[in-house]
Amino acid sequence: MKNLSSMFLVSLLSGAVTLGAYKVFIDDDQLFPEKNGITTLAPTTSYLRPVGLSPETLDFTEAANKAVHYVVHVKNVSYRTVTNPMLEFFYGYRGGQQQTQIGTGSGVIISEDGYIVTNNHVIKDATDIEITLNNNKSYKAKLIGTDSKMDIALLKIDADVKLAYTTFADSDHVKVGEWVLAVGNPYNLNSTVTAGIVSAKARNLDSSGLQSFIQTDAAVNPGNSGGALINTNGELIGINTMISSMTGSYVGYSFAVPSNITRKIIEDIMEFGNVQRGILGVEGGELNPTASKELGIAETNGFYINKVTKNSGAERSGLKKGDIIQKLDDKNIGSFSDLAQYLNTKRPNDKVRVTVLRDGKSITVPVTLSKYENTAATLKGMQLENLEAADKKRFKINYGVKITDVNNDDLAQYADELKGSIILSVDNIKATDVETVRKILSNKSNNQPVRIEIINTEGQLFRIII
């Protein structure tokens, strides 16, 4: 009986301690009130926000059902001749065996009469292109045009019926954290749908700065390239293009060309036959604490102008070195990718309002965009620009184009020597300006060798074939 009384007393004390602790720590207006210094309790309703994948909170079925009908399978068939060097050397054998190569990817129907957008790398070097719809009907496709810089290609099929097609969403309004679906044909598994969220926007993964991707954690694998990234309404917000992977398969993040950029590219191809790319005509870099410290400025956000291109819209509008671009029209510019993404939706002669910080004051100037080809060109991976007066004086020449960068892996070991050198002629034609070089190259395929005459930075003249 004595032990039973002791147990009863312990239980009574435990209950009292528990009740007291509740009053001290949990009850209103005690140790943790609704607001006490820097500690604030969230309102009860904040815990009621619907989050999750249950049918009551989110339903992907309608969007997926739309997408599988306008996302197609793309087959790339190419042929190459394989030779045997040993037979050629010992027996004088000439000829070779023709091999068929097949690549696959995805595409998105964008009109009822059969226009299809995909990635350039999906159909690159194709001899034949075959499109298979979700109903297993196949059609031969015609290549209408490509943009290798943004990895977009436009195809056309002639079907005997009106086709299901996507509508374009405004990718500028896509939000980080928004649910999205990736639809395509990974590993030849037709009509595959995966879900994820937008992980980041305006992600730049390309040294040329032309790329500006939507990043997502929706599973994308080989074969998804050229497929659709859609919102929960089934509208196109991007074209799936690449993955970040150590293995070649999906490991966490994939990237899509935003729909606004994609739409502008295909409209250019359909109207002009090529992509009309407008540029501001400035060089520089995005600001961050490290860059700002090196430049000796306090501002840590925006795009710092280090150079203004001659004869560009930026020069004519009075932009100058040291200006910090903070806005293009109503779009805030916090990085180079923000700048590139907005400009990639514009054409030459479009006008944009550029807001810059200059000497501590914010000013806005109108700038008419220049045509990309008028200020720059590319020759075998070498970036070219027109000569400035200082270059002509230094090299004692009155024509030529300057090599500003080298992105060709085969020339990587010579990159430091080539940068700053002057090309005088291409295939024995004077390289008077970048427009001339562009016209020369327009008549040659990428695989044809090019003869160029160069003056290096030490004034030495030499000729090479690349």
Side-chain angles (χ1 to χ4, degrees):
M1 179 66 72
K2 184 176 181 179
N3 290 339
L4 184 60
S5 299
S6 299
M7 291 178 61
F8 178 76
L9 181 60
V10 169
S11 299
L12 185 61
L13 289 172
S14 298
V17 170
T18 302
L19 181 61
Y22 172 81
K23 291 296 292 181
V24 172
F25 292 101
I26 306 299
D27 200 11
D28 289 343
D29 302 324
Q30 297 299 323
L31 187 59
F32 296 114
E34 184 176 348
K35 187 168 185 180
N36 180 28
I38 61 172
T39 304
T40 305
L41 294 180
T44 306
T45 55
S46 68
Y47 299 102
L48 302 179
R49 183 183 179 90
V51 176
L53 291 174
S54 66
E56 292 79 13
T57 57
L58 192 60
D59 186 358
F60 295 136
T61 56
E62 184 177 349
N65 185 58
K66 288 181 182 178
V68 295
H69 295 293
Y70 61 67
V71 175
V72 300
H73 181 274
V74 181
K75 184 167 75 172
N76 168 347
V77 181
S78 60
Y79 305 93
R80 69 168 183 165
T81 301
V82 180
T83 61
N84 189 323
M86 299 297 289
L87 290 176
E88 291 181 0
F89 181 79
F90 289 106
Y91 303 104
Y93 175 78
R94 294 291 182 268
Q97 183 179 4
Q98 191 176 68
Q99 290 186 349
T100 302
Q101 294 181 313
I102 297 177
T104 61
S106 305
V108 183
I109 303 174
I110 60 171
S111 68
E112 65 180 16
D113 58 343
Y115 280 98
I116 296 169
V117 63
T118 184
N119 285 146
N120 179 63
H121 76 261
V122 170
I123 52 81
K124 186 177 181 181
D125 300 324
T127 303
D128 297 306
I129 303 172
E130 183 180 278
I131 301 297
T132 303
L133 307 184
N134 186 55
N135 61 9
N136 291 325
K137 287 187 176 181
S138 295
Y139 302 89
K140 293 292 184 182
K142 177 183 178 182
L143 178 61
I144 303 300
T146 66
D147 180 11
S148 59
K149 293 183 182 298
M150 295 303 298
D151 200 14
I152 292 295
L154 182 64
L155 310 176
K156 177 69 167 64
I157 62 173
D158 294 321
D160 50 359
V161 295
K162 293 182 178 181
L163 301 173
Y165 63 94
T166 184
T167 55
F168 283 77
D170 186 345
S171 55
D172 286 345
H173 292 165
V174 172
K175 297 179 180 179
V176 174
E178 177 180 340
W179 280 105
V180 291
L181 303 180
V183 188
N185 305 281
Y187 305 118
N188 280 326
L189 301 172
N190 289 0
S191 304
T192 296
V193 180
T194 56
I197 63 169
V198 174
S199 305
K201 294 176 61 179
R203 184 70 80 195
N204 183 22
L205 304 175
D206 184 74
S207 59
S208 68
L210 287 172
Q211 304 282 5
S212 187
F213 292 102
I214 296 173
Q215 178 181 322
T216 174
D217 64 355
V220 170
N221 283 293
N224 270 112
S225 292
L229 185 69
I230 64 174
N231 59 24
T232 53
N233 293 324
E235 301 161 336
L236 188 73
I237 63 171
I239 297 296
N240 295 316
T241 298
M242 61 190 300
I243 59 178
S244 176
S245 171
M246 299 296 290
T247 65
S249 297
Y250 171 76
V251 291
Y253 294 109
S254 55
F255 304 91
V257 179
S259 58
N260 286 1
I261 295 176
T262 302
R263 186 176 69 250
K264 187 262 181 184
I265 290 171
I266 60 179
E267 287 174 353
D268 281 358
I269 292 173
M270 293 176 72
E271 184 175 352
F272 304 104
N274 55 40
V275 179
Q276 304 289 300
R277 190 165 279 120
I279 63 170
L280 272 179
V282 297
E283 296 178 20
E286 62 184 61
L287 293 176
N288 54 49
T290 301
S292 298
K293 184 177 180 180
E294 292 177 355
L295 292 168
I297 58 178
E299 188 67 29
T300 58
N301 195 47
F303 182 84
Y304 181 85
I305 299 177
N306 190 51
K307 180 183 177 182
V308 177
T309 305
K310 295 290 184 182
N311 302 318
S312 66
E315 183 188 49
R316 288 189 288 270
S317 296
L319 295 182
K320 60 183 182 180
K321 179 179 180 179
D323 287 346
I324 300 172
I325 299 177
Q326 297 184 314
K327 274 188 176 184
L328 293 181
D329 293 331
D330 295 324
K331 180 178 177 62
N332 292 324
I333 304 299
S335 66
F336 182 75
S337 294
D338 291 334
L339 186 79
Q341 183 181 46
Y342 191 74
L343 292 177
N344 282 337
T345 64
K346 300 297 181 180
R347 296 185 176 91
N349 298 320
D350 282 353
K351 290 181 172 61
V352 295
R353 301 187 313 278
V354 182
T355 301
V356 300
L357 186 66
R358 178 186 297 172
D359 300 328
K361 297 180 180 180
S362 180
I363 63 172
T364 300
V365 296
V367 176
T368 300
L369 300 183
S370 309
K371 190 173 183 179
Y372 177 77
E373 288 82 0
N374 290 342
T375 57
T378 302
L379 170 60
K380 297 291 185 179
M382 296 184 292
Q383 302 296 318
L384 311 176
E385 68 176 23
N386 288 324
L387 294 184
E388 298 180 359
D391 296 318
K392 294 179 180 180
K393 182 177 180 180
R394 176 187 173 190
F395 291 97
K396 298 180 180 179
I397 56 177
N398 57 13
Y399 71 93
V401 292
K402 187 176 182 178
I403 302 173
T404 59
D405 199 6
V406 178
N407 297 319
N408 186 333
D409 291 339
D410 295 333
L411 299 175
Q413 59 181 321
Y414 309 111
D416 292 338
E417 299 175 33
L418 289 170
K419 288 179 184 178
S421 297
I422 308 299
I423 295 179
L424 295 177
S425 68
V426 178
D427 284 346
N428 298 319
I429 300 173
K430 279 188 176 183
T432 54
D433 52 33
V434 294
E435 182 67 15
T436 301
V437 174
R438 189 177 63 82
K439 289 179 180 178
I440 296 171
L441 297 178
S442 67
N443 296 319
K444 300 178 72 70
S445 69
N446 292 332
N447 297 325
Q448 286 183 287
V450 177
R451 295 173 176 82
I452 60 175
E453 185 180 39
I454 296 178
I455 296 180
N456 65 17
T457 54
E458 297 178 357
Q460 297 171 327
L461 179 67
F462 58 96
R463 298 174 179 83
I464 61 174
I465 299 176
I466 57 175

